[in-house]
Every structure is written in structure tokens, then in C-alpha cells.
Amino acid sequence: MVRCVKHKHSETMRGISRRSLLTGAASLVAAPALGAISRPTDVDVAIIGAGAAGIAAGRRLAAAGQRYVLIEASPRVGGRCYTDMTTFGVPYDRAARGIRGRETNPVAKLAAEAKLDIDPAPRGQRVRIGRRNAREGELEDFLAASVRANRAIGDAARSGRDIAAAQLLPRELADWRTSVEFLLGPYATSKDLTEVSAVDLARAADREPNGFCRQGYGALVAKLGSGLRTQLDNPVTRVEWAGRDGVALDTRQGRLAARAVIVTVSTGVLASDAIRFTPELPKRHSDAIARLKPGTYERIALELNGNPFGLSRDDLVFEKSDGPRTGALLANIGRTPLCTIDVGGAFGRDLAAQGEAAMIAYAADWLAGLYGGDIRKSVGRSHATRWSSDPLIRGGWSSASPGGAGSRAVLREALSARLWFAGEAAHDTAWGSVEGAWETGERAANEILRSFGVLRDEPAAKAKGAVKRSAPKRQEF
Ligand SMILES: Cc1cc2nc3c(=O)[nH]c(=O)nc-3n(C[C@H](O)[C@H](O)[C@H](O)COP(=O)(O)OP(=O)(O)OC[C@H]3O[C@@H](n4cnc5c(N)ncnc54)[C@H](O)[C@@H]3O)c2cc1C
């Protein structure tokens, strides 16, 4: 019976792409050359954090023949790209999984070099209404409500009204309101729309994933980082960035001198003061960091044997919700029994605070509400992430608070031509993504190379490996 319903509604969904529902729908400082270094430095560039941004920066500096080192606090590289192979025995991406714009995505383009495979993502999503799939007319209503909400946010953003996106939702969203709030809020930004800048949201690039790495996105990023000069298990605790001789870092493994530093840790970590800056960061930067704090986005993973939903590979399912206690299901991941339920925003935060058992119980209850209680019998192994309480991450991804849309540009401003920030939060449009983080790492590395005079003869925008800056893009339906 489930299979019949599934078939009928996969036809129904064919015309509605992920793009149609998702939100995207959703100074540089001209750095002077550093000049002569009066004492030897250990490296030219120290990169703090070996996530996507740090790895991209490391590869760029390695290619340019610079002395660099990646300093990573945890025992592995990849940060919020992490494929866990042990919990389920199949690739389980605990955070980033969906590849956006796989034809142009700089990380996906390197998959062949890494000898890994990118599979296309199926188009479209399903929507459950209680225990049945939404009918075509209902899907159109959901789509129309999303369009109205996006237009209202886009119109306000264009007129410069950087207020909370929640204030702009039209009244006519009727009984699709909470579903739209989830789609544009926690699912797209990791925050509730009351905490999200309308301008930042309107600028966001298309978030539709159109590919998955068969071996895991985390496996791909880790492979791209292998072979780089990296110190693992080595948290940085202090950055002295205004000395005449460059920068000095205090790390667990000792002190290190460099001509310049790229800091790629999350804005949650920066806001926590786990790394002290000497002198303190200018207020302009610390305000920007405070306005770009990550929200909450957690993943509950269940092994569901026997495909009890009757769904296809990588099917994405939302529900018509009646409140914020909702999630997004990704079923039969990579044709395995692995399914994930993602939760976020204030609801996700409160749920995660109750612990892993409560998260798993919620996911089983939620699925039982949508597909029937028998689902529980299929549940095998389980796991839930706790990114928000991980001291090295502290949240989902950055989302600007109302009034904070300009903060990403401030974060990118280099300080004293010695200190650069990179990472997903520093990207104007592709924040909260792997490719966004990657591009900011490459960009910071290129700026440093220019400040060293290594790229002196190349115009900034055309420098080899320079980041193409995508024009702020608003999704139209
Ligand atoms: C649950 C979840 C799902 C997601 N899904 C997607 C998706 O489908 N597609 C997508 O494109 N993006 C997704 N994202 C977002 C994506 O994962 C991030 O935008 C991206 O990985 C961030 O990379 P980064 O290099 O900026 O930061 P990070 O990956 O956070 O890297 C920073 C590194 O710094 C290290 N560090 C922290 N403190 C210190 C210290 N004191 N000293 C040294 N090192 C330190 C950390 O351990 C970490 O390795 C998701 C994120 C989450 C949480």
C-alpha cells in the first residue's frame, strides 16, 4: 500500500523541484606587502582549522610553494564535513551531505582527482500530511505559500529593510505557515526566522543540492586535505597579531611564528573566546562575529531496515506541520537503510539539550506519526549529532541576525595585513555551505599571496585560483 502511494506521489512531485521549495528561495583590504621579517618565522602562513576553508587555503598555499601549516584542534580534518564509516558501516555524513551546484562547485569538481564519485540527487521533495502524501493541489498551495514568503522577504531586502524575516511573512500563508517557517528558517538557516536577517536570507545562493558524494562529502573533503602539512590535536589558544615580526600563535604543542594567519574556526568558536586575540579584535570585527553566530542544526540518523517507507534513494520529505516540532527526512541514503531526520532552530536546540536518547525517541515518534507505528519495528542502529555542544564547532552554520547583513564583509577585512578570517561565515551568498567555506579559504590565501608579492603581477580578480564572486542571487520561482 505504501508503495502504491509512493509511486503515485512521485509522479505528483515531478514538476516541483527542490529549488522550488528551498529558501535560497531562498574589503577586501588592499594589503601592503609585509616587508622584511626581522626574525625567522616557522612558516609563512599558519591556518587555524582544517575544515573545508582551511584545506582550500592550504592547497592554494602549497600550490604557490609557500611554507604553511594547518593547525587543527581535533584528531581529524574536515570539521563540519565528516563522514562516519563506523556507526552504521556505510557512509554517514554527520553534517554536510548535499552538494550544491555540482557542475560549478569547486569541491565537487575535485572529486575525480580524489577518485570519488558524485551521484546526481533526485529532484523534488515529497510532503506528508499526516499519514498520506500531499495531493497535487496541496503541493501547489505549499509552493505558492513559499513563493509569497520569499517574495515578501526579497522585496523588503531590496528596499534595505534588514529586519527579522519573520516580520515579513504574509498573512495569506494560511495553514502552510509553519511549514514555510521551517523551510526558510531552521532548514535553510539553522535559526528561526525571528532571528534571521531578511537581507542575509534574500542574498543566499540557491541551496538546492543536486549531487551527493557516494563515499560521503566528508570523505571527499578529507581526501582533498590529505597530504597537506597538518598538526592534529593541536588547539590554538592565542593569536598575537600586531607584532612587528608577523604573528605568534600559542598552541597545545607550543609557540609558532608566522608571517600571516588565516583563522577558519566557526563564528560560534570565535564568539566563545576559546582563542584569545592580542590585541583584542577591533569592535567592528567582534560585533560582526556576534551577529553571525550559528544557529542549531542537528541530525538524527536511524537505520531502517527493509525500506518501510517505500521511498527511493535520497528521497527528501517534509511534512505539513502544525508547529515548530518538525524536521526533514532524507530516506535510503545512497541506497542504504540509513535515514536521517534533521531538526534545527529553537526546537532543535531544546531537543538536543535533552540528549541523544530524547532526540532518537523524537525521530521515531515523528516518523510513526507520518508513516504508522510499525516503523518502529524497522529501527536498527541509531545516532544523533550534537554539533551545538561540540566546543570546536558550537552550532549549525552562521546566519546573520536582523540588522547584521553587512557583517560578512566586515569579517573578511584583513587586519594589519597579517590576520585573515575565512570559513563559511565569510561568504556573502554561499554561507552555510562547503563550497562557500572552500571559496573563502582560497580567497584569503590569494590575498595573502598578493600581500607577499607572489601574485603581484596578476590583477586581483584574475589571479590564478582567485575566487569568482557570485553576484548576490535571489531565487525566483
Ligand atoms: C548538520 C549540518 C548539515 C549541513 N549540511 C550541509 C550540506 O548538506 N551541504 C553543504 O554544503 N553544507 C552543509 N552544512 C554546512 C557545512 O558543513 C559548513 O558550512 C562547512 O563545512 C564549514 O566549513 P568551515 O571550514 O568554514 O568550518 P569548519 O568545518 O567548522 O572548520 C573549522 C575547523 O576549526 C577547528 N577548530 C576549532 N577550534 C579550533 C582551535 N582553537 N584551534 C584549531 N582548530 C580549531 C575545528 O575542529 C574545525 O575542524 C551543514 C552543516 C551542519 C552542521
Side-chain angles (χ1 to χ4, degrees), residues 48-49 51-53 71-73 79-80 95-98 100 235-236 264-265 269 275 297 299 392-393 396-397 423-424 432-434 437:
I48 305 179
I71 309 175
E72 167 58 49
R80 282 169 278 176
R97 165 153 171 78
R100 294 155 190 165
V236 174
T264 74
V265 303
V269 171
I275 302 175
Y297 199 85
R299 180 155 292 159
L392 301 182
I393 304 294
W397 56 86
E424 56 88 12
S433 76
V434 176

PDB file of all heavy atoms in Angstrom, residues 48-49 51-53 71-73 79-80 95-98 100 235-236 264-265 269 275 297 299 392-393 396-397 423-424 432-434 437, ligand 1:
ATOM      1  N   ILE A  48      44.423  28.280  10.906  1.00  0.00           N
ATOM      2  CA  ILE A  48      43.806  27.696  12.102  1.00  0.00           C
ATOM      3  C   ILE A  48      42.497  27.040  11.701  1.00  0.00           C
ATOM      4  O   ILE A  48      41.555  27.708  11.265  1.00  0.00           O
ATOM      5  CB  ILE A  48      43.572  28.764  13.190  1.00  0.00           C
ATOM      6  CG1 ILE A  48      44.879  29.492  13.508  1.00  0.00           C
ATOM      7  CG2 ILE A  48      42.983  28.123  14.441  1.00  0.00           C
ATOM      8  CD1 ILE A  48      44.752  30.584  14.558  1.00  0.00           C
ATOM      9  N   GLY A  49      42.444  25.711  11.835  1.00  0.00           N
ATOM     10  CA  GLY A  49      41.245  24.952  11.480  1.00  0.00           C
ATOM     11  C   GLY A  49      41.427  24.254  10.144  1.00  0.00           C
ATOM     12  O   GLY A  49      41.776  24.882   9.146  1.00  0.00           O
ATOM     13  N   GLY A  51      39.003  22.530   8.390  1.00  0.00           N
ATOM     14  CA  GLY A  51      37.744  22.232   7.725  1.00  0.00           C
ATOM     15  C   GLY A  51      37.881  22.580   6.243  1.00  0.00           C
ATOM     16  O   GLY A  51      39.002  22.722   5.724  1.00  0.00           O
ATOM     17  N   ALA A  52      36.755  22.728   5.555  1.00  0.00           N
ATOM     18  CA  ALA A  52      36.798  22.985   4.117  1.00  0.00           C
ATOM     19  C   ALA A  52      37.588  24.256   3.804  1.00  0.00           C
ATOM     20  O   ALA A  52      38.402  24.286   2.869  1.00  0.00           O
ATOM     21  CB  ALA A  52      35.373  23.096   3.567  1.00  0.00           C
ATOM     22  N   ALA A  53      37.366  25.315   4.584  1.00  0.00           N
ATOM     23  CA  ALA A  53      38.055  26.581   4.301  1.00  0.00           C
ATOM     24  C   ALA A  53      39.560  26.438   4.509  1.00  0.00           C
ATOM     25  O   ALA A  53      40.362  26.899   3.687  1.00  0.00           O
ATOM     26  CB  ALA A  53      37.499  27.689   5.201  1.00  0.00           C
ATOM     27  N   ILE A  71      46.675  24.033  11.442  1.00  0.00           N
ATOM     28  CA  ILE A  71      46.675  23.660  12.858  1.00  0.00           C
ATOM     29  C   ILE A  71      45.238  23.336  13.249  1.00  0.00           C
ATOM     30  O   ILE A  71      44.361  24.208  13.199  1.00  0.00           O
ATOM     31  CB  ILE A  71      47.225  24.802  13.726  1.00  0.00           C
ATOM     32  CG1 ILE A  71      48.573  25.275  13.162  1.00  0.00           C
ATOM     33  CG2 ILE A  71      47.391  24.332  15.159  1.00  0.00           C
ATOM     34  CD1 ILE A  71      49.142  26.468  13.882  1.00  0.00           C
ATOM     35  N   GLU A  72      45.008  22.100  13.597  1.00  0.00           N
ATOM     36  CA  GLU A  72      43.648  21.616  13.829  1.00  0.00           C
ATOM     37  C   GLU A  72      43.528  21.083  15.257  1.00  0.00           C
ATOM     38  O   GLU A  72      44.353  20.281  15.702  1.00  0.00           O
ATOM     39  CB  GLU A  72      43.322  20.514  12.796  1.00  0.00           C
ATOM     40  CG  GLU A  72      42.082  19.699  13.073  1.00  0.00           C
ATOM     41  CD  GLU A  72      40.801  20.520  13.181  1.00  0.00           C
ATOM     42  OE1 GLU A  72      40.548  21.364  12.295  1.00  0.00           O
ATOM     43  OE2 GLU A  72      40.063  20.328  14.163  1.00  0.00           O
ATOM     44  N   ALA A  73      42.470  21.511  15.933  1.00  0.00           N
ATOM     45  CA  ALA A  73      42.298  21.120  17.343  1.00  0.00           C
ATOM     46  C   ALA A  73      41.881  19.672  17.505  1.00  0.00           C
ATOM     47  O   ALA A  73      42.232  19.023  18.495  1.00  0.00           O
ATOM     48  CB  ALA A  73      41.254  22.029  17.991  1.00  0.00           C
ATOM     49  N   GLY A  79      36.308  19.149   9.773  1.00  0.00           N
ATOM     50  CA  GLY A  79      35.383  19.980  10.535  1.00  0.00           C
ATOM     51  C   GLY A  79      33.936  19.521  10.366  1.00  0.00           C
ATOM     52  O   GLY A  79      33.610  18.357  10.645  1.00  0.00           O
ATOM     53  N   ARG A  80      33.098  20.448   9.868  1.00  0.00           N
ATOM     54  CA  ARG A  80      31.678  20.124   9.681  1.00  0.00           C
ATOM     55  C   ARG A  80      31.425  19.302   8.419  1.00  0.00           C
ATOM     56  O   ARG A  80      30.276  19.147   8.002  1.00  0.00           O
ATOM     57  CB  ARG A  80      30.852  21.408   9.687  1.00  0.00           C
ATOM     58  CG  ARG A  80      30.623  21.972  11.072  1.00  0.00           C
ATOM     59  CD  ARG A  80      30.029  23.363  11.023  1.00  0.00           C
ATOM     60  NE  ARG A  80      31.045  24.380  10.814  1.00  0.00           N
ATOM     61  CZ  ARG A  80      30.802  25.675  10.654  1.00  0.00           C
ATOM     62  NH1 ARG A  80      29.552  26.100  10.629  1.00  0.00           N
ATOM     63  NH2 ARG A  80      31.782  26.546  10.501  1.00  0.00           N
ATOM     64  N   ALA A  95      27.328  15.858   9.053  1.00  0.00           N
ATOM     65  CA  ALA A  95      26.915  17.245   8.788  1.00  0.00           C
ATOM     66  C   ALA A  95      26.736  17.368   7.280  1.00  0.00           C
ATOM     67  O   ALA A  95      25.825  16.753   6.731  1.00  0.00           O
ATOM     68  CB  ALA A  95      27.908  18.235   9.370  1.00  0.00           C
ATOM     69  N   ALA A  96      27.584  18.142   6.596  1.00  0.00           N
ATOM     70  CA  ALA A  96      27.343  18.401   5.170  1.00  0.00           C
ATOM     71  C   ALA A  96      27.218  17.098   4.395  1.00  0.00           C
ATOM     72  O   ALA A  96      28.047  16.204   4.513  1.00  0.00           O
ATOM     73  CB  ALA A  96      28.476  19.240   4.617  1.00  0.00           C
ATOM     74  N   ARG A  97      26.166  17.028   3.610  1.00  0.00           N
ATOM     75  CA  ARG A  97      25.984  15.864   2.735  1.00  0.00           C
ATOM     76  C   ARG A  97      25.623  16.304   1.317  1.00  0.00           C
ATOM     77  O   ARG A  97      26.127  15.784   0.345  1.00  0.00           O
ATOM     78  CB  ARG A  97      24.886  14.967   3.287  1.00  0.00           C
ATOM     79  CG  ARG A  97      24.411  13.960   2.270  1.00  0.00           C
ATOM     80  CD  ARG A  97      23.851  12.695   2.824  1.00  0.00           C
ATOM     81  NE  ARG A  97      23.240  11.899   1.775  1.00  0.00           N
ATOM     82  CZ  ARG A  97      23.903  11.154   0.915  1.00  0.00           C
ATOM     83  NH1 ARG A  97      25.214  11.071   0.992  1.00  0.00           N
ATOM     84  NH2 ARG A  97      23.277  10.486  -0.021  1.00  0.00           N
ATOM     85  N   GLY A  98      24.721  17.309   1.205  1.00  0.00           N
ATOM     86  CA  GLY A  98      24.231  17.717  -0.105  1.00  0.00           C
ATOM     87  C   GLY A  98      25.220  18.627  -0.825  1.00  0.00           C
ATOM     88  O   GLY A  98      25.697  19.615  -0.276  1.00  0.00           O
ATOM     89  N   ARG A 100      25.855  21.302  -3.556  1.00  0.00           N
ATOM     90  CA  ARG A 100      25.080  22.303  -4.291  1.00  0.00           C
ATOM     91  C   ARG A 100      25.825  22.690  -5.550  1.00  0.00           C
ATOM     92  O   ARG A 100      27.035  22.871  -5.528  1.00  0.00           O
ATOM     93  CB  ARG A 100      24.834  23.515  -3.405  1.00  0.00           C
ATOM     94  CG  ARG A 100      23.936  23.124  -2.245  1.00  0.00           C
ATOM     95  CD  ARG A 100      24.107  24.002  -1.048  1.00  0.00           C
ATOM     96  NE  ARG A 100      23.394  23.430   0.086  1.00  0.00           N
ATOM     97  CZ  ARG A 100      23.568  23.802   1.346  1.00  0.00           C
ATOM     98  NH1 ARG A 100      24.409  24.759   1.634  1.00  0.00           N
ATOM     99  NH2 ARG A 100      22.893  23.223   2.300  1.00  0.00           N
ATOM    100  N   PRO A 235      44.953  22.441  19.524  1.00  0.00           N
ATOM    101  CA  PRO A 235      44.156  23.667  19.580  1.00  0.00           C
ATOM    102  C   PRO A 235      45.016  24.918  19.722  1.00  0.00           C
ATOM    103  O   PRO A 235      46.012  24.922  20.458  1.00  0.00           O
ATOM    104  CB  PRO A 235      43.268  23.482  20.823  1.00  0.00           C
ATOM    105  CG  PRO A 235      43.850  22.340  21.579  1.00  0.00           C
ATOM    106  CD  PRO A 235      44.631  21.511  20.615  1.00  0.00           C
ATOM    107  N   VAL A 236      44.642  25.937  18.999  1.00  0.00           N
ATOM    108  CA  VAL A 236      45.285  27.252  19.155  1.00  0.00           C
ATOM    109  C   VAL A 236      44.553  27.982  20.277  1.00  0.00           C
ATOM    110  O   VAL A 236      43.312  27.995  20.307  1.00  0.00           O
ATOM    111  CB  VAL A 236      45.182  28.050  17.840  1.00  0.00           C
ATOM    112  CG1 VAL A 236      45.723  29.466  18.026  1.00  0.00           C
ATOM    113  CG2 VAL A 236      45.922  27.325  16.723  1.00  0.00           C
ATOM    114  N   THR A 264      39.995  30.058  10.495  1.00  0.00           N
ATOM    115  CA  THR A 264      38.810  29.497   9.818  1.00  0.00           C
ATOM    116  C   THR A 264      37.820  28.864  10.794  1.00  0.00           C
ATOM    117  O   THR A 264      36.870  28.221  10.359  1.00  0.00           O
ATOM    118  CB  THR A 264      39.212  28.433   8.768  1.00  0.00           C
ATOM    119  OG1 THR A 264      39.610  27.235   9.452  1.00  0.00           O
ATOM    120  CG2 THR A 264      40.330  28.897   7.860  1.00  0.00           C
ATOM    121  N   VAL A 265      38.034  29.004  12.086  1.00  0.00           N
ATOM    122  CA  VAL A 265      37.113  28.365  13.035  1.00  0.00           C
ATOM    123  C   VAL A 265      35.740  29.015  12.915  1.00  0.00           C
ATOM    124  O   VAL A 265      35.602  30.139  12.427  1.00  0.00           O
ATOM    125  CB  VAL A 265      37.640  28.470  14.487  1.00  0.00           C
ATOM    126  CG1 VAL A 265      39.028  27.848  14.596  1.00  0.00           C
ATOM    127  CG2 VAL A 265      37.673  29.915  14.967  1.00  0.00           C
ATOM    128  N   VAL A 269      32.802  29.379  17.652  1.00  0.00           N
ATOM    129  CA  VAL A 269      34.070  29.238  18.384  1.00  0.00           C
ATOM    130  C   VAL A 269      34.688  30.622  18.622  1.00  0.00           C
ATOM    131  O   VAL A 269      35.160  30.931  19.717  1.00  0.00           O
ATOM    132  CB  VAL A 269      35.046  28.324  17.609  1.00  0.00           C
ATOM    133  CG1 VAL A 269      36.429  28.329  18.233  1.00  0.00           C
ATOM    134  CG2 VAL A 269      34.484  26.893  17.557  1.00  0.00           C
ATOM    135  N   ILE A 275      39.762  31.171  21.582  1.00  0.00           N
ATOM    136  CA  ILE A 275      41.036  31.698  21.070  1.00  0.00           C
ATOM    137  C   ILE A 275      41.102  33.169  21.491  1.00  0.00           C
ATOM    138  O   ILE A 275      40.199  33.939  21.178  1.00  0.00           O
ATOM    139  CB  ILE A 275      41.104  31.593  19.533  1.00  0.00           C
ATOM    140  CG1 ILE A 275      40.937  30.131  19.080  1.00  0.00           C
ATOM    141  CG2 ILE A 275      42.403  32.180  19.010  1.00  0.00           C
ATOM    142  CD1 ILE A 275      40.872  29.945  17.570  1.00  0.00           C
ATOM    143  N   TYR A 297      21.577  23.099  14.170  1.00  0.00           N
ATOM    144  CA  TYR A 297      21.126  22.142  13.150  1.00  0.00           C
ATOM    145  C   TYR A 297      21.708  20.798  13.521  1.00  0.00           C
ATOM    146  O   TYR A 297      22.934  20.640  13.573  1.00  0.00           O
ATOM    147  CB  TYR A 297      21.588  22.578  11.755  1.00  0.00           C
ATOM    148  CG  TYR A 297      20.790  21.930  10.638  1.00  0.00           C
ATOM    149  CD1 TYR A 297      19.586  22.483  10.207  1.00  0.00           C
ATOM    150  CD2 TYR A 297      21.231  20.775  10.025  1.00  0.00           C
ATOM    151  CE1 TYR A 297      18.845  21.892   9.186  1.00  0.00           C
ATOM    152  CE2 TYR A 297      20.496  20.177   9.003  1.00  0.00           C
ATOM    153  CZ  TYR A 297      19.304  20.748   8.586  1.00  0.00           C
ATOM    154  OH  TYR A 297      18.568  20.167   7.579  1.00  0.00           O
ATOM    155  N   ARG A 299      21.374  16.336  13.390  1.00  0.00           N
ATOM    156  CA  ARG A 299      20.955  15.207  12.550  1.00  0.00           C
ATOM    157  C   ARG A 299      20.713  13.979  13.427  1.00  0.00           C
ATOM    158  O   ARG A 299      21.560  13.622  14.238  1.00  0.00           O
ATOM    159  CB  ARG A 299      22.060  14.935  11.527  1.00  0.00           C
ATOM    160  CG  ARG A 299      21.774  13.792  10.591  1.00  0.00           C
ATOM    161  CD  ARG A 299      22.556  13.977   9.314  1.00  0.00           C
ATOM    162  NE  ARG A 299      22.065  15.129   8.569  1.00  0.00           N
ATOM    163  CZ  ARG A 299      22.766  15.788   7.648  1.00  0.00           C
ATOM    164  NH1 ARG A 299      23.981  15.395   7.336  1.00  0.00           N
ATOM    165  NH2 ARG A 299      22.244  16.814   7.018  1.00  0.00           N
ATOM    166  N   LEU A 392      34.366  22.622  19.531  1.00  0.00           N
ATOM    167  CA  LEU A 392      35.155  23.026  18.366  1.00  0.00           C
ATOM    168  C   LEU A 392      34.256  23.515  17.214  1.00  0.00           C
ATOM    169  O   LEU A 392      34.759  23.936  16.175  1.00  0.00           O
ATOM    170  CB  LEU A 392      36.033  21.868  17.882  1.00  0.00           C
ATOM    171  CG  LEU A 392      37.028  21.332  18.930  1.00  0.00           C
ATOM    172  CD1 LEU A 392      37.870  20.219  18.340  1.00  0.00           C
ATOM    173  CD2 LEU A 392      37.915  22.468  19.451  1.00  0.00           C
ATOM    174  N   ILE A 393      32.954  23.442  17.386  1.00  0.00           N
ATOM    175  CA  ILE A 393      32.026  23.873  16.329  1.00  0.00           C
ATOM    176  C   ILE A 393      30.995  24.880  16.871  1.00  0.00           C
ATOM    177  O   ILE A 393      30.825  25.968  16.349  1.00  0.00           O
ATOM    178  CB  ILE A 393      31.294  22.656  15.709  1.00  0.00           C
ATOM    179  CG1 ILE A 393      32.309  21.625  15.177  1.00  0.00           C
ATOM    180  CG2 ILE A 393      30.321  23.123  14.619  1.00  0.00           C
ATOM    181  CD1 ILE A 393      33.167  22.078  14.001  1.00  0.00           C
ATOM    182  N   GLY A 396      25.213  25.110  14.119  1.00  0.00           N
ATOM    183  CA  GLY A 396      24.996  24.594  12.770  1.00  0.00           C
ATOM    184  C   GLY A 396      25.857  25.360  11.781  1.00  0.00           C
ATOM    185  O   GLY A 396      26.957  24.945  11.426  1.00  0.00           O
ATOM    186  N   TRP A 397      25.361  26.516  11.344  1.00  0.00           N
ATOM    187  CA  TRP A 397      26.158  27.393  10.497  1.00  0.00           C
ATOM    188  C   TRP A 397      25.704  28.821  10.732  1.00  0.00           C
ATOM    189  O   TRP A 397      24.668  29.065  11.344  1.00  0.00           O
ATOM    190  CB  TRP A 397      26.068  27.013   9.013  1.00  0.00           C
ATOM    191  CG  TRP A 397      24.674  26.982   8.459  1.00  0.00           C
ATOM    192  CD1 TRP A 397      23.972  28.036   7.951  1.00  0.00           C
ATOM    193  CD2 TRP A 397      23.819  25.834   8.359  1.00  0.00           C
ATOM    194  NE1 TRP A 397      22.733  27.618   7.538  1.00  0.00           N
ATOM    195  CE2 TRP A 397      22.614  26.261   7.773  1.00  0.00           C
ATOM    196  CE3 TRP A 397      23.951  24.488   8.699  1.00  0.00           C
ATOM    197  CZ2 TRP A 397      21.545  25.403   7.531  1.00  0.00           C
ATOM    198  CZ3 TRP A 397      22.888  23.633   8.455  1.00  0.00           C
ATOM    199  CH2 TRP A 397      21.710  24.085   7.873  1.00  0.00           C
ATOM    200  N   GLY A 423      36.133  30.924   6.130  1.00  0.00           N
ATOM    201  CA  GLY A 423      35.134  29.980   6.643  1.00  0.00           C
ATOM    202  C   GLY A 423      33.772  30.365   6.117  1.00  0.00           C
ATOM    203  O   GLY A 423      33.580  31.472   5.600  1.00  0.00           O
ATOM    204  N   GLU A 424      32.832  29.448   6.261  1.00  0.00           N
ATOM    205  CA  GLU A 424      31.526  29.669   5.640  1.00  0.00           C
ATOM    206  C   GLU A 424      30.912  31.024   5.982  1.00  0.00           C
ATOM    207  O   GLU A 424      30.265  31.647   5.138  1.00  0.00           O
ATOM    208  CB  GLU A 424      30.565  28.522   5.984  1.00  0.00           C
ATOM    209  CG  GLU A 424      30.336  28.224   7.464  1.00  0.00           C
ATOM    210  CD  GLU A 424      29.230  29.031   8.102  1.00  0.00           C
ATOM    211  OE1 GLU A 424      28.479  29.677   7.363  1.00  0.00           O
ATOM    212  OE2 GLU A 424      29.136  29.028   9.344  1.00  0.00           O
ATOM    213  N   GLY A 432      27.076  28.924   5.064  1.00  0.00           N
ATOM    214  CA  GLY A 432      26.421  27.677   5.466  1.00  0.00           C
ATOM    215  C   GLY A 432      26.619  26.550   4.480  1.00  0.00           C
ATOM    216  O   GLY A 432      25.844  25.599   4.484  1.00  0.00           O
ATOM    217  N   SER A 433      27.642  26.657   3.632  1.00  0.00           N
ATOM    218  CA  SER A 433      27.865  25.561   2.679  1.00  0.00           C
ATOM    219  C   SER A 433      29.350  25.214   2.634  1.00  0.00           C
ATOM    220  O   SER A 433      30.216  25.996   3.056  1.00  0.00           O
ATOM    221  CB  SER A 433      27.383  25.948   1.276  1.00  0.00           C
ATOM    222  OG  SER A 433      28.297  26.834   0.680  1.00  0.00           O
ATOM    223  N   VAL A 434      29.622  24.041   2.064  1.00  0.00           N
ATOM    224  CA  VAL A 434      31.003  23.604   1.929  1.00  0.00           C
ATOM    225  C   VAL A 434      31.698  24.414   0.841  1.00  0.00           C
ATOM    226  O   VAL A 434      32.832  24.873   1.016  1.00  0.00           O
ATOM    227  CB  VAL A 434      31.048  22.092   1.603  1.00  0.00           C
ATOM    228  CG1 VAL A 434      32.478  21.633   1.359  1.00  0.00           C
ATOM    229  CG2 VAL A 434      30.405  21.293   2.726  1.00  0.00           C
ATOM    230  N   ALA A 437      32.574  27.838   2.147  1.00  0.00           N
ATOM    231  CA  ALA A 437      33.759  27.800   3.013  1.00  0.00           C
ATOM    232  C   ALA A 437      35.019  27.656   2.171  1.00  0.00           C
ATOM    233  O   ALA A 437      36.023  28.352   2.371  1.00  0.00           O
ATOM    234  CB  ALA A 437      33.629  26.629   3.993  1.00  0.00           C
TER     235      ALA A 437
HETATM  236  C1  LIG B   1      24.240  19.185  10.389  1.00  0.00           C
HETATM  237  C2  LIG B   1      24.799  20.034   9.264  1.00  0.00           C
HETATM  238  C3  LIG B   1      24.400  19.779   7.961  1.00  0.00           C
HETATM  239  C4  LIG B   1      24.963  20.517   6.910  1.00  0.00           C
HETATM  240  N1  LIG B   1      24.597  20.216   5.624  1.00  0.00           N
HETATM  241  C5  LIG B   1      25.239  20.809   4.588  1.00  0.00           C
HETATM  242  C6  LIG B   1      25.010  20.374   3.261  1.00  0.00           C
HETATM  243  O1  LIG B   1      24.202  19.460   3.028  1.00  0.00           O
HETATM  244  N2  LIG B   1      25.711  20.967   2.254  1.00  0.00           N
HETATM  245  C7  LIG B   1      26.621  21.962   2.497  1.00  0.00           C
HETATM  246  O2  LIG B   1      27.245  22.452   1.538  1.00  0.00           O
HETATM  247  N3  LIG B   1      26.863  22.397   3.758  1.00  0.00           N
HETATM  248  C8  LIG B   1      26.194  21.847   4.807  1.00  0.00           C
HETATM  249  N4  LIG B   1      26.455  22.239   6.090  1.00  0.00           N
HETATM  250  C9  LIG B   1      27.361  23.382   6.315  1.00  0.00           C
HETATM  251  C10 LIG B   1      28.838  22.992   6.106  1.00  0.00           C
HETATM  252  O3  LIG B   1      29.102  21.819   6.826  1.00  0.00           O
HETATM  253  C11 LIG B   1      29.736  24.129   6.600  1.00  0.00           C
HETATM  254  O4  LIG B   1      29.330  25.349   6.020  1.00  0.00           O
HETATM  255  C12 LIG B   1      31.215  23.921   6.253  1.00  0.00           C
HETATM  256  O5  LIG B   1      31.607  22.588   6.417  1.00  0.00           O
HETATM  257  C13 LIG B   1      32.044  24.838   7.139  1.00  0.00           C
HETATM  258  O6  LIG B   1      33.425  24.688   6.861  1.00  0.00           O
HETATM  259  P1  LIG B   1      34.475  25.683   7.567  1.00  0.00           P
HETATM  260  O7  LIG B   1      35.819  25.315   7.085  1.00  0.00           O
HETATM  261  O8  LIG B   1      34.009  27.080   7.411  1.00  0.00           O
HETATM  262  O9  LIG B   1      34.337  25.401   9.145  1.00  0.00           O
HETATM  263  P2  LIG B   1      34.560  24.065   9.997  1.00  0.00           P
HETATM  264  O10 LIG B   1      34.185  22.884   9.198  1.00  0.00           O
HETATM  265  O11 LIG B   1      33.858  24.294  11.290  1.00  0.00           O
HETATM  266  O12 LIG B   1      36.139  24.008  10.230  1.00  0.00           O
HETATM  267  C14 LIG B   1      36.766  24.698  11.285  1.00  0.00           C
HETATM  268  C15 LIG B   1      37.791  23.788  11.941  1.00  0.00           C
HETATM  269  O13 LIG B   1      38.420  24.514  13.003  1.00  0.00           O
HETATM  270  C16 LIG B   1      38.724  23.590  14.046  1.00  0.00           C
HETATM  271  N5  LIG B   1      38.958  24.343  15.292  1.00  0.00           N
HETATM  272  C17 LIG B   1      38.036  24.853  16.152  1.00  0.00           C
HETATM  273  N6  LIG B   1      38.658  25.476  17.162  1.00  0.00           N
HETATM  274  C18 LIG B   1      39.998  25.380  16.940  1.00  0.00           C
HETATM  275  C19 LIG B   1      41.157  25.840  17.633  1.00  0.00           C
HETATM  276  N7  LIG B   1      41.083  26.538  18.782  1.00  0.00           N
HETATM  277  N8  LIG B   1      42.385  25.543  17.116  1.00  0.00           N
HETATM  278  C20 LIG B   1      42.494  24.836  15.949  1.00  0.00           C
HETATM  279  N9  LIG B   1      41.428  24.373  15.277  1.00  0.00           N
HETATM  280  C21 LIG B   1      40.190  24.649  15.750  1.00  0.00           C
HETATM  281  C22 LIG B   1      37.520  22.681  14.075  1.00  0.00           C
HETATM  282  O14 LIG B   1      37.802  21.461  14.729  1.00  0.00           O
HETATM  283  C23 LIG B   1      37.215  22.529  12.574  1.00  0.00           C
HETATM  284  O15 LIG B   1      37.856  21.381  12.056  1.00  0.00           O
HETATM  285  C24 LIG B   1      25.911  21.539   7.178  1.00  0.00           C
HETATM  286  C25 LIG B   1      26.300  21.802   8.491  1.00  0.00           C
HETATM  287  C26 LIG B   1      25.754  21.060   9.531  1.00  0.00           C
HETATM  288  C27 LIG B   1      26.212  21.337  10.954  1.00  0.00           C
END
